[in-house]
Every structure is written in structure tokens, then in C-alpha cells.
Amino acid sequence: MAPRVLVFYGSYRSDRMGIRLAYYVMAGLTARGGEAEVIDAKAVGLPILDRMYKEYPRGAAPVALEALAMKVRAADAFIFVTGEYNWGMQPGLKNLTDHFLEEWFWRPAAIASYSAGRLAGARANLVWHGTLSEMGMVVISSTITVGPIADTLTADGKPIGEAGRFLDQAFPRFIDDLFWWAEAAKLQRARKAPPY
Ligand SMILES: Cc1cc2nc3c(=O)[nH]c(=O)nc-3n(C[C@H](O)[C@H](O)[C@H](O)COP(=O)(O)O)c2cc1C
């Protein structure tokens, strides 16, 4: 069965650029046999964290939170498309992820970072690695770094020129690595119920 992958993206800016990478990842995942959905934090529109999902009594969580919890639980793997603000994370994406904890457990996650410059969000990429790990995901070593994003992808996520070619070359290994871990984690969850 095709691995179900959620692609998270978290910029709230009117002129946001990272959505290009989310589109690219989504198209590439589908082309390699995955079942993919972009979770756009701005569209989901969760408020700044008050209660985590698990802190609501069963059935009492806000509709958007409940719907997202179900999607996270049903997913086999996650990709976090992460931009960089002042060497750190984008707050919209961090806010969304902080609403959950156990829902993330026992699944692999991959990071695809980007920025306006040549460092391609590398510093945010590094910080996300530790955070996703703390949230109970297995963060795979393969990663994608895209920068400058405006020179690499068109507005609808199509690769441009040499930078786009490099991205196309790196992408299959990135996804195949994620799919391998998604299958391994799924088999193990089926073989032995997670301890908590
Ligand atoms: C508040 C802010 C801080 C930024 N800080 C960094 C930074 O530390 N490093 C970097 O490479 N680019 C930085 N940039 C430029 C972003 O990489 C660029 O604007 C990118 O398109 C942001 O992602 P988004 O368009 O999806 O919101 C910053 C941009 C903003 C708006």
C-alpha cells in the first residue's frame, strides 16, 4: 500500500515563498508512489497554543484540531518544509506541531528546508531535527536544502535551471529513504503495539 505522507508547511506571510517547495515535495511524493497531503498551518489556522489536543476531553477538541489529529494518527510519515526566520524556526509551523505529542510517535519524519539565501535554511533545519526527535519521530538523515528558493522553483513548484536540476537529483534518495523508514515503522507497529 502507498505510504501516507503529510507535508507540513508553516509560513503565514502574504508573500510566502516556501509554498513552492511544499508543492514540489507533494508532486514528487505522488510521482514516486506516495499518498500525500499538504498541511498548510495558515489554512488550518490553529490559535497560539492554549491546550494541546490531548488536554481536551474526548470529543471536545476544536474541529480543526480534531481533524488534524486524525490525519496525523493515520499517516505513515511526515515531511516538514521549514523556512528560517532569524536563524530559527517559523513560529506558525512550531505552533501547529506543539499541539500534538503522542500522535507523532513511532513514525519517521524528514526535513526539507529552504531560504532566500544560499544557506537554504540550514540553521532552521538543524533546530527542527532535535525538536522532531523530542516529539517522538524518527528523523531520517536524508534531507533537502533549497536556496535561494526563488532561483530554484517557480511559483507552482516546478524546478528552474541548474539549482532545480540539483534538487531533482537529490529528491529520489530523500523520498526513498523516507519510504523505507515508513514501511519499517509501520511493520513494527503492526507486529508489536507501541509501549505507550
Ligand atoms: C522575519 C524574517 C527573518 C528571516 N531570517 C532569515 C534567516 O535567518 N536566514 C535566512 O536565510 N533567511 C531569512 N529570512 C529570509 C527568508 O529565508 C525568506 O523570506 C523566505 O522566503 C521565508 O519563507 P516564507 O516566504 O515561506 O515565509 C528571513 C525572513 C523573514 C521574514
Side-chain angles (χ1 to χ4, degrees):
M1 217 168 81
R4 281 169 297 188
V5 184
L6 297 180
V7 179
F8 291 91
Y9 171 61
S11 172
Y12 279 51
R13 295 192 321 114
S14 307
D15 304 319
R16 62 195 194 158
M17 297 289 288
I19 192 72
R20 300 172 179 217
L21 183 54
Y23 291 150
Y24 175 86
V25 167
M26 170 86 188
L29 267 169
T30 310
R32 289 193 84 74
E35 200 183 287
E37 180 179 348
V38 172
I39 305 292
D40 177 353
K42 185 178 182 179
V44 175
L46 298 180
I48 294 290
L49 180 68
D50 173 12
R51 289 188 180 139
M52 291 173 73
Y53 172 70
K54 67 178 177 185
E55 293 175 305
Y56 287 93
R58 190 177 287 267
V63 175
L65 196 57
E66 187 70 56
L68 190 51
M70 285 177 64
K71 286 182 185 181
V72 171
R73 276 207 218 95
D76 298 314
F78 312 111
I79 296 180
F80 288 81
V81 174
T82 62
E84 180 172 305
Y85 294 161
N86 299 315
W87 288 30
M89 298 169 167
Q90 289 167 317
L93 186 56
K94 180 62 163 45
N95 183 57
L96 181 143
T97 58
D98 283 341
H99 278 81
F100 304 102
L101 185 61
E102 286 78 357
E103 293 76 18
W104 300 118
F105 283 11
W106 319 113
R107 292 168 181 81
I111 300 166
S113 69
Y114 67 91
S115 82
R118 295 184 67 83
L119 291 184
R123 289 162 294 221
N125 186 315
L126 183 68
V127 180
W128 271 108
H129 198 115
T131 296
L132 299 178
S133 207
E134 163 61 15
M135 291 184 182
M137 292 168 243
V138 178
V139 186
I140 67 165
S141 59
S142 295
T143 190
I144 290 282
T145 49
V146 175
I149 191 163
D151 298 343
T152 310
L153 293 168
T154 61
D156 58 351
K158 303 279 189 305
I160 308 168
E162 199 185 10
R165 272 197 303 283
F166 283 139
L167 177 59
D168 274 346
Q169 273 168 22
F171 193 76
R173 185 195 160 117
F174 173 70
I175 290 303
D176 292 349
D177 193 3
L178 184 67
F179 282 1
W180 192 94
W181 282 107
E183 189 182 340
K186 191 173 186 170
L187 283 171
Q188 179 66 356
R189 288 198 305 277
R191 198 181 72 84
K192 186 174 180 182
Y196 49 88

Coordinates of all heavy atoms in Angstrom, one line a residue, residues 9 11 13 15-19 84-87 90 114-117 123 149, ligand 1:
Y9 N 3.8 22.7 6.3 CA 4.4 24.0 5.9 C 3.8 25.0 6.8 O 2.5 25.0 7.0 CB 4.1 24.2 4.4 CG 4.5 25.6 3.9 CD1 5.8 26.1 4.0 CD2 3.5 26.5 3.5 CE1 6.2 27.3 3.6 CE2 3.9 27.8 3.0 CZ 5.2 28.2 3.1 OH 5.5 29.5 2.7
S11 N 4.5 28.9 6.9 CA 4.6 30.4 6.8 C 3.2 31.0 6.8 O 2.4 30.5 6.0 CB 5.4 30.8 5.6 OG 5.4 32.2 5.4
R13 N 3.1 34.4 6.0 CA 3.3 35.6 5.3 C 2.5 35.7 4.0 O 2.3 34.7 3.3 CB 4.8 35.8 4.9 CG 5.7 35.9 6.1 CD 7.1 36.3 5.8 NE 7.6 35.7 4.6 CZ 7.9 36.4 3.4 NH1 7.8 37.7 3.4 NH2 8.4 35.8 2.4
D15 N 3.4 37.1 1.3 CA 4.2 36.9 0.1 C 5.1 35.6 0.3 O 6.3 35.6 -0.2 CB 5.1 38.1 -0.1 CG 4.3 39.4 -0.3 OD1 3.3 39.3 -0.9 OD2 4.7 40.4 0.3
R16 N 4.6 34.7 0.9 CA 5.4 33.5 1.2 C 5.9 32.7 0.0 O 5.2 32.6 -1.0 CB 4.6 32.6 2.2 CG 3.4 32.0 1.6 CD 2.5 31.4 2.6 NE 1.4 30.6 2.0 CZ 0.8 29.6 2.6 NH1 1.0 29.4 3.9 NH2 -0.1 28.9 2.0
M17 N 7.2 32.2 0.2 CA 7.8 31.5 -0.9 C 7.9 30.0 -0.7 O 8.0 29.3 -1.7 CB 9.3 32.1 -1.0 CG 9.4 33.5 -1.4 SD 9.0 33.9 -3.0 CE 10.3 33.2 -3.9
G18 N 7.9 29.6 0.5 CA 8.1 28.2 0.8 C 7.0 27.3 0.3 O 7.3 26.1 0.1
I19 N 5.9 27.8 0.0 CA 4.8 27.0 -0.5 C 5.2 26.4 -1.8 O 4.8 25.3 -2.2 CB 3.5 27.9 -0.7 CG1 2.3 27.0 -1.0 CG2 3.7 28.9 -1.8 CD1 1.8 26.2 0.2
E84 N 13.4 29.7 7.4 CA 14.2 30.2 8.5 C 14.0 31.6 8.8 O 14.1 32.5 7.9 CB 15.7 29.9 8.2 CG 16.7 30.4 9.2 CD 18.1 30.0 8.8 OE1 18.4 28.8 8.6 OE2 19.0 30.9 8.8
Y85 N 13.6 32.0 10.0 CA 13.5 33.4 10.4 C 14.5 33.7 11.5 O 14.4 33.1 12.6 CB 12.1 33.7 11.0 CG 10.9 33.6 10.0 CD1 9.6 33.4 10.5 CD2 11.1 33.6 8.6 CE1 8.5 33.3 9.6 CE2 10.0 33.5 7.8 CZ 8.7 33.4 8.3 OH 7.7 33.3 7.4
N86 N 15.4 34.5 11.2 CA 16.4 34.9 12.2 C 17.1 33.7 12.8 O 17.2 33.6 14.1 CB 15.8 35.9 13.2 CG 15.3 37.2 12.6 OD1 16.0 37.7 11.7 ND2 14.1 37.6 12.9
W87 N 17.6 32.8 12.0 CA 18.3 31.6 12.3 C 17.4 30.6 13.1 O 17.9 29.7 13.7 CB 19.5 32.0 13.2 CG 20.7 32.6 12.5 CD1 20.6 33.4 11.4 CD2 22.1 32.5 12.8 NE1 21.9 33.8 11.1 CE2 22.8 33.3 11.9 CE3 22.8 31.8 13.8 CZ2 24.2 33.4 12.0 CZ3 24.2 32.0 13.9 CH2 24.8 32.7 12.9
Q90 N 10.1 28.9 11.9 CA 8.9 29.7 11.6 C 7.9 29.4 12.7 O 7.6 28.2 12.9 CB 8.4 29.4 10.3 CG 9.3 30.0 9.2 CD 8.9 29.4 7.8 OE1 8.6 28.2 7.7 NE2 8.9 30.2 6.8
Y114 N 14.5 25.5 3.4 CA 14.7 26.5 2.3 C 14.9 27.9 2.9 O 14.6 28.1 4.0 CB 13.5 26.5 1.3 CG 12.3 27.1 2.0 CD1 12.0 28.5 2.0 CD2 11.5 26.3 2.8 CE1 10.9 29.1 2.7 CE2 10.4 26.9 3.5 CZ 10.1 28.2 3.4 OH 9.1 28.8 4.1
S115 N 15.5 28.8 2.0 CA 15.5 30.2 2.4 C 15.8 31.0 1.2 O 16.0 30.5 0.1 CB 16.6 30.5 3.5 OG 17.9 30.6 2.9
A116 N 15.8 32.3 1.4 CA 16.0 33.3 0.3 C 17.5 33.2 -0.1 O 17.8 33.7 -1.2 CB 15.6 34.7 0.7
G117 N 18.3 32.7 0.8 CA 19.8 32.8 0.5 C 20.4 31.4 0.2 O 19.7 30.4 0.1
R123 N 20.2 26.4 9.2 CA 20.1 26.5 10.7 C 18.8 26.1 11.2 O 18.7 25.4 12.3 CB 20.5 28.0 11.1 CG 22.0 28.3 10.8 CD 22.3 29.7 10.8 NE 21.6 30.4 9.7 CZ 22.2 31.4 8.9 NH1 23.4 31.8 9.2 NH2 21.6 31.9 7.9
I149 N 15.5 30.0 -2.8 CA 14.3 29.3 -3.3 C 13.8 30.0 -4.6 O 13.3 29.3 -5.5 CB 13.2 29.2 -2.2 CG1 12.1 28.3 -2.7 CG2 12.7 30.6 -1.7 CD1 11.2 27.7 -1.6
Ligands
LIG1 C1 11.4 37.6 9.8 C2 12.3 37.0 8.8 C3 13.5 36.6 9.2 C4 14.4 36.0 8.3 N1 15.6 35.4 8.7 C5 16.3 34.7 7.8 C6 17.4 34.0 8.3 O1 17.8 34.0 9.5 N2 18.1 33.3 7.4 C7 17.8 33.2 6.1 O2 18.4 32.5 5.3 N3 16.7 33.9 5.6 C8 16.0 34.6 6.5 N4 14.9 35.3 6.0 C9 14.5 35.3 4.6 C10 13.7 34.0 4.3 O3 14.6 33.0 4.0 C11 12.7 34.3 3.1 O4 12.0 35.4 3.3 C12 11.8 33.1 2.9 O5 11.1 33.3 1.7 C13 10.9 32.9 4.1 O6 10.0 31.9 4.0 P1 8.4 32.1 3.6 O7 8.5 33.0 2.3 O8 7.9 30.8 3.2 O9 7.8 32.8 4.7 C14 14.0 35.9 6.9 C15 12.8 36.4 6.5 C16 11.9 36.9 7.5 C17 10.5 37.4 7.0

